[in-house]
Amino acid sequence: TGVLAFFISPIADNLTTALLMAAAVMAVGVGQTQFIALSCISIVVAANAGWYTLPVADETFPYGLKGSPATEADVRAFLARPLVLQLGEADTDAEHSSLRRTPEANRQGPHRFARGKNFMAVAEIEAKRLGVPLAWKLVTVPGVGHSNGKMAEHAARELFR
């Protein structure tokens, strides 16, 4: 499913891609719970988000976990799952038309690159506070701004290792 999602995601939004992957897994795995379990994602590459849900309880959801059903055990598990946070080093346009500019998002940084670095820094602090190893990796992509296609080329390197 990871390979299929990789090729679909540049042309479909994240929700559509996730729904298509779930439908494919459920269709192929009818009556085969082991197949469905093995089809779960083993690594995630997140790239150039406009804002983040920080893994902290003092920021209100959706910018943090306050008011969400997430528990401290959920946060521990989340931080211990493989995640590649991929940021385009040129994704620094604070006036980009699709960049969220709420006060909560702006506290995360002025643009996508800064917000991504902040997300990683907060995750590192939380992992240390909770005493769990952080299984995340930050990858910056030189010369790339807010471009799904260019980021996908680099994501492939992480997905197909």
Side-chain angles (χ1 to χ4, degrees):
T1 58
V3 173
L4 188 57
F6 174 76
F7 288 106
I8 292 173
S9 64
I11 57 173
D13 62 54
N14 293 340
L15 179 58
T16 301
T17 302
L19 290 172
L20 288 171
M21 294 304 91
V25 167
M26 297 303 288
V28 173
V30 172
Q32 300 178 37
T33 55
Q34 287 182 331
F35 173 79
I36 293 172
L38 291 174
S39 297
C40 292
I41 297 170
S42 61
I43 187 167
V44 173
V45 177
N48 287 9
W51 57 277
Y52 294 84
T53 300
L54 301 175
V56 295
D58 60 348
E59 184 75 49
T60 303
F61 188 80
Y63 299 96
L65 300 176
K66 184 178 181 180
S68 80
T71 66
E72 190 169 283
D74 294 328
V75 175
R76 289 175 190 271
F78 177 57
L79 296 172
R81 298 220 21 140
L83 170 75
V84 175
L85 181 60
Q86 185 175 283
L87 306 174
E89 291 179 5
D91 200 353
T92 57
D93 182 359
E95 301 300 319
H96 193 277
S97 62
S98 67
L99 182 67
R100 188 174 284 209
R101 292 184 194 85
T102 63
E104 298 88 353
N106 288 340
R107 280 197 299 271
Q108 295 182 5
H111 45 70
R112 286 181 181 86
F113 186 69
R115 292 175 185 185
K117 290 184 81 171
N118 176 67
F119 180 59
M120 187 66 166
V122 169
E124 289 170 346
I125 291 166
E126 281 302 293
K128 185 175 181 181
R129 182 184 74 78
L130 294 170
V132 296
L134 183 63
W136 298 6
K137 178 169 87 170
L138 176 63
V139 175
T140 62
V141 182
V144 176
H146 196 63
S147 167
N148 291 347
K150 290 180 182 176
M151 293 299 281
E153 294 172 23
H154 294 273
R157 295 179 189 153
E158 300 299 325
L159 292 172
F160 300 113
R161 283 182 182 251

